[in-house]
Amino acid sequence: MPPREDGSVLVGDIAYSTEEWESLLAKNLDSLKKLWPKTNGVVNIPYKISNPEVSTAKLKGAFSAWESKTCVKFSKMAKSDKYMEYLDFVITGTTCSSNIGYTKGKITSVNLPSSCSFKAFKHELGHSMGLRHEMNRSDRDKHIIVISGVKYKPGFDSQFALMNTINFDIPYDYCSIMHYTDKVGSENYEHTMLALDARFQTLMGWCSTNITHWNYKLVNTMYNCTDDWLKACKQESDPCKNGGYTRKDCSCACPLGTSGDKCENLDMNYNDAMAKKLSYYTAIIKTSGAKVTSPDYPKPSGMG
């Protein structure tokens, strides 16, 4: 988050002095120290593909998905480029993974073996831009319970660490591309998380294979994309209501549950709208004691 002309840093409606902001950043807010530089309104992230086995089709699709609604641009490096900081797409082992964001003087390594789904490509690119997991948010305890006493797979217990994040008034999103599923990391396929909104218990982490409205809004807020677009659109403040935001073409990007050109109509809250949309995946089954499983058990049916 770059300082303004007067040296202060604006976060939501709160202006911090440079000293206050540096103090906040020191308190585990490393995602905001991991932002790639922005020039002329564009966050240019150079990359190279070190392993030719990385799926270029999935990678290009993931690039396009993030670029379509943010000011981020992924640019393939030429052989003559001498960047010190760039994304390096590699294959090491079978785990999909990425370093978090930008680090001055260092390469951000993104590991994308053939087992990684298209969704995983988008997820790992989210990390490469500086995003943490949704369940690491500072307000996560209002939305999920991380279950203690679970036998985790090696290294997975740290994935549920509570972090002191700034969330920019963006609501917790069970369907975030950055959210894990409810049993992920368990050695014995036990629940590792419980959703306080029970409708999302089996859906969190599965309910969207796409980047969500709130994912886009977070990136656009972190990188000040929306502020730049507002200036270009000659708007002093964002006219989009109810969690919407101004896009590059000056129209409003509106969250599910709203309607109107300016998202001015709140028809239902986001979680209610998402649960209604996902009702296809849920059903009430009455039996007389017989055991019932879905075709894809233990995955939610059809969510793959």
Side-chain angles (χ1 to χ4, degrees):
M1 185 68 64
R4 300 186 295 176
E5 290 182 2
D6 63 0
S8 65
V9 178
L10 187 66
V11 180
D13 60 349
I14 302 174
Y16 296 96
S17 68
T18 303
E19 292 76 16
E20 289 172 333
W21 183 244
E22 291 298 327
S23 176
L24 281 172
L25 289 180
K27 296 178 180 178
N28 206 23
L29 299 175
D30 61 342
S31 287
L32 294 182
K33 293 189 291 183
K34 294 286 191 175
L35 300 185
W36 293 84
K38 185 170 68 169
T39 304
N40 297 324
V42 177
V43 180
N44 182 58
I45 304 181
Y47 74 89
K48 76 172 186 178
I49 302 174
S50 288
N51 192 316
E53 296 301 313
V54 172
S55 171
T56 54
K58 291 179 185 176
L59 195 56
K60 288 179 180 178
F63 287 158
S64 179
W66 280 111
E67 290 174 347
S68 65
K69 296 181 181 180
T70 68
C71 62
V72 174
K73 174 69 176 176
F74 297 94
S75 302
K76 189 172 184 178
M77 294 169 58
K79 290 183 179 180
S80 58
D81 287 337
K82 303 296 182 183
Y83 291 109
M84 294 291 292
E85 304 89 10
Y86 58 89
L87 300 185
D88 189 17
F89 294 103
V90 300
I91 295 179
T92 304
T94 59
T95 302
C96 315
S97 62
S98 175
N99 297 138
I100 299 293
Y102 169 92
T103 302
K104 188 172 179 60
K106 293 187 177 181
I107 297 167
T108 298
S109 181
V110 186
N111 187 46
L112 295 172
S114 60
S115 57
C116 296
S117 66
F118 181 39
K119 177 183 178 180
F121 272 62
K122 290 179 282 189
H123 177 100
E124 300 308 337
L125 281 185
H127 284 318
S128 77
M129 291 186 290
L131 299 183
R132 289 284 186 177
H133 290 130
E134 192 78 5
M135 66 277 184
N136 295 139
R137 282 175 51 136
S138 57
D139 62 347
R140 66 102 183 274
D141 289 342
K142 297 178 181 178
H143 306 279
I144 63 168
I145 296 172
V146 175
I147 301 173
S148 60
V150 173
K151 185 178 180 181
Y152 289 106
K153 295 177 182 177
F156 259 94
D157 53 342
S158 63
Q159 298 295 307
F160 300 96
L162 182 65
M163 295 185 175
N164 185 23
T165 57
I166 292 178
N167 303 315
F168 302 101
D169 293 324
I170 294 172
Y172 192 91
D173 186 5
Y174 290 109
C175 295
S176 168
I177 198 77
M178 306 308 295
H179 208 304
Y180 274 0
T181 55
D182 63 332
K183 296 181 180 179
V184 74
S186 168
E187 192 74 67
N188 302 315
Y189 207 71
E190 302 172 277
H191 284 99
T192 52
M193 294 178 284
L194 294 178
L196 294 181
D197 185 335
R199 296 173 297 181
F200 292 93
Q201 180 60 45
T202 59
L203 293 174
M204 60 179 165
W206 293 107
C207 49
S208 180
T209 58
N210 298 315
I211 301 163
T212 69
H213 172 85
W214 302 120
N215 294 148
Y216 285 125
K217 185 170 183 179
L218 179 57
V219 170
N220 287 328
T221 303
M222 288 172 62
Y223 280 105
N224 285 333
C225 305
T226 304
D227 287 347
D228 290 342
W229 295 334
L230 285 170
K231 290 177 184 177
C233 296
K234 299 181 180 179
Q235 296 280 357
E236 292 185 2
S237 61
D238 200 329
C240 308
K241 308 299 182 184
N242 295 312
Y245 63 88
T246 293
R247 294 185 281 209
K248 187 176 182 178
D249 65 0
C250 303
S251 66
C252 288
C254 298
L256 201 63
T258 65
S259 60
D261 290 344
K262 305 297 183 185
C263 326
E264 66 271 21
N265 302 315
L266 183 59
D267 305 317
M268 63 179 72
N269 72 45
Y270 180 81
N271 278 354
D272 288 345
M274 184 61 79
K276 182 179 180 180
K277 179 181 179 181
L278 296 169
S279 61
Y280 167 81
Y281 297 112
T282 61
I284 297 174
I285 302 173
K286 295 182 179 180
T287 73
S288 57
K291 183 178 180 180
V292 178
T293 61
S294 65
D296 298 324
Y297 181 82
K299 293 181 180 180
S301 180
M303 295 303 289

